[in-house]
Amino acid sequence: MNGSRPWWQSAVIYQIYPRSFQDTNDDGIGDLNGITQRLPDLIDLGVDAIWISPIFRSPMKDFGYDISDYVDVDPIFGTMADFERLIAEAHARGIKVILDFVPNHSSDQHAWFLESRASRTSAKRDWYIWRDPAPGGGPPNNWLSEFGGSAWEFDAATGQYYYHAFLNSQPDLNWRNPEVVAAMRDVLRFWMRKGIDGFRVDVIWHLIKDRQFRDNPPNPNYHAGRPPNEALIPLYTTDLPEVHDVIGTLRRTVDEFPDRLLIGEIYLPVERLVAYYGRDLGGVHLPFNFALLSARWDAKHLQALITEYEGALPKGGWPNWVLGNHDRPRIAGRVGQRQAAVAAMLLLTLRGTPTIYNGDELGMPQVDIPRHRVRDPFERNVPGIGVGRDGCRTPMQWDSSRNAGFSRVDPWLPLADDWRSNNVANLREDALSILNLYRRLLRVRKERPALSLGSYRPYVVDEDLLAYYRELNDSRLLIVLNLTDGPQALKLEEGAHARILVSTEAKRDGDLVKGTVTLAGDEGLVIDMASR
């Protein structure tokens, strides 16, 4: 707790995609011991918590998001002893550990599903979603898989279809069945007893499906070149009202243990996203806010986006921001290398809990993966329209030794072309690097509670500059971000004598400013307005 506040309100979360973080057993795939080995680097960076994408036992058809045992570690990543050591080492350094929980679907190799599909009278038949064929034959309705094709897979042995929102090897669990709910609550308790500090819940808005299995309506705005599942509006397969009852149950389970965090992965418009805080804030603590992942990168649009989100939050609801993750193109690929530094300042100075995706602190690029190296099942199922996620999952770039210090053998995905220069070891020595910008911003967040816990107030500006105050008690900071590549000037409030705490240009840190401040192209500033 921070005073009376939970730890996660002032924390910075760092997402680790474990397959690509650090390999210690020479198989080209990252592992748990690799995360433990790199904890000093995370301390040096200044983050407070790590969220680890799935490390559970899995056939890896969707690289861990197809779980065959919810209470075991996959040998690719190590052993349960390795996991327990990671938790102990992280906690000893003051770092919280958050696990990725994937409750919507299991692997088709999970013992639950093997029993469910054994016969129509199996004790676990109703643990998954089974339906008879349509009257004329074929799938029960028109529901589509997120990864292409029908969401229904026929099981010849029992003569019924099972539902899968993603791969046909990822059957959806039936969250209307109390036995499923009870089993999943026990999974959460198992990991919390291990010392886990929280969970990021995968596709949480998918958990409940329509009781009547009605067809989804066509999407009138669908056009060629978009993922085929978007041809339908998922009216009866996602974001159903009953999902909030399930989430409330998960929250009560997490609340059985002190100071635990529940995060929900939810890709929905803001007005629907905020419902996931739950009645009386009894839902997830943080419904992930992905607005920046697809935002148009101009000051006017970003200001409107921030204002809409702040205005939609329920009373007492704590905001959060995400700039990148393992499913979306890298920020440097979206806005360019120079604006990636401005984006970092935006992420780490907005009100709320920020999440950094591993490698974004290096400005790692979005990598163009050759066709013969594609691993992502989404891209394999729906090729040619840019849905592949491999390009944001390439190995972490630690130094200029072989394979960027990630592995002593060829890694599971190719490295970015810039790894020999753009790596932790090199960037740490460059005062002007984006890595050192992240380090400076994270240090200032700890020194200035106004950045982590203060209020947000927009500053009236033109279309090229985004500016806002962060205020707490007598501390008042002004953040100014130049979203263009040309110089811009901002008139400060009358009589202001201020000091630059952090500039994306570094060499201006500590400079005094008054009257008007001029920013270079692609520059961002954190200004202490209390200085004299």
Side-chain angles (χ1 to χ4, degrees), residues 290-297 301 305 322 328 334:
F290 295 129
L292 294 178
L293 295 182
S294 57
R296 193 172 71 247
W297 207 251
H301 177 75
L305 181 154
V322 178
R328 295 298 171 102
R334 302 198 309 268

Side-chain angles (χ1 to χ4, degrees), residues 170-471:
Q170 294 171 297
D172 279 41
L173 284 147
N174 178 13
W175 276 84
R176 294 184 183 276
N177 184 330
E179 293 179 349
V180 170
V181 177
M184 285 301 196
R185 295 183 75 186
D186 284 342
V187 169
L188 294 177
R189 294 181 183 113
F190 174 88
W191 292 107
M192 287 189 287
R193 291 185 185 110
K194 292 281 184 187
I196 282 300
D197 299 288
F199 301 92
R200 173 266 193 189
V201 185
D202 186 61
V203 297
I204 200 169
W205 82 111
H206 275 260
L207 290 182
I208 294 291
K209 291 80 179 174
D210 183 45
R211 281 187 186 277
Q212 300 175 51
F213 294 91
R214 288 169 282 188
D215 279 356
N216 277 326
N219 179 1
N221 299 316
Y222 179 73
H223 58 84
R226 295 297 303 164
N229 67 293
E230 293 182 9
L232 301 178
I233 297 171
L235 181 65
Y236 296 116
T237 45
T238 66
D239 194 31
L240 272 68
E242 302 100 308
V243 77
H244 297 289
D245 296 330
V246 171
I247 294 170
T249 300
L250 296 178
R251 171 64 180 276
R252 288 192 294 276
T253 309
V254 169
D255 285 348
E256 293 172 6
F257 295 74
D259 297 334
R260 299 313 204 269
L261 170 64
L262 193 63
I263 303 170
E265 183 200 25
I266 305 152
Y267 283 94
L268 289 173
V270 164
E271 70 273 8
R272 291 159 65 191
L273 172 72
V274 294
Y276 285 76
Y277 284 99
R279 190 181 304 111
D280 301 322
L281 302 182
V284 294
H285 295 98
L286 299 177
F288 259 155
N289 169 20
F290 295 129
L292 294 178
L293 295 182
S294 57
R296 193 172 71 247
W297 207 251
D298 66 69
K300 190 173 183 180
H301 177 75
L302 291 174
Q303 185 71 268
L305 181 154
I306 297 164
T307 299
E308 179 189 18
Y309 178 60
E310 283 277 351
L313 290 167
K315 185 178 180 181
W318 188 250
N320 71 95
W321 296 92
V322 178
L323 198 60
N325 66 25
H326 64 292
D327 285 332
R328 295 298 171 102
R330 289 275 186 186
I331 182 62
R334 302 198 309 268
V335 303
Q337 287 286 348
R338 289 186 60 79
Q339 278 292 315
V342 177
M345 185 169 281
L346 176 68
L347 174 72
L348 295 175
T349 60
L350 284 172
R351 190 174 81 95
T353 301
T355 298
I356 301 168
Y357 178 45
N358 69 232
D360 280 353
E361 74 274 23
L362 309 181
M364 279 179 61
Q366 180 73 8
V367 178
D368 187 15
I369 306 295
R371 173 57 51 191
H372 71 282
R373 295 293 304 273
V374 169
R375 304 293 299 275
D376 183 8
F378 194 5
E379 175 67 15
R380 288 181 168 186
N381 286 0
V382 189
I385 62 170
V387 298
R389 300 167 295 173
D390 292 333
C392 64
R393 298 176 175 183
T394 57
M396 187 70 177
Q397 298 165 194
W398 293 106
D399 56 43
S400 54
S401 67
R402 184 185 179 192
N403 298 320
F406 165 72
S407 178
R408 287 179 290 197
V409 302
D410 289 343
W412 74 289
L413 281 175
L415 291 157
D417 291 339
D418 66 357
W419 66 268
R420 289 175 181 84
S421 58
N422 187 24
N423 58 63
V424 173
N426 284 353
L427 297 187
R428 191 180 281 138
E429 300 304 313
D430 178 2
L432 297 178
S433 72
I434 189 170
L435 174 60
N436 278 318
L437 172 64
Y438 270 90
R439 293 172 73 207
R440 296 190 337 265
L441 285 167
L442 288 167
R443 184 170 65 248
V444 169
R445 276 183 66 92
K446 287 182 168 63
E447 294 169 353
R448 300 297 182 107
L451 278 182
S452 56
L453 299 173
S455 62
Y456 163 88
R457 181 162 61 90
Y459 190 68
V460 178
V461 293
D462 62 28
E463 293 190 357
D464 298 319
L465 290 172
L466 175 63
Y468 47 91
Y469 288 108
R470 297 298 313 282
E471 298 167 317

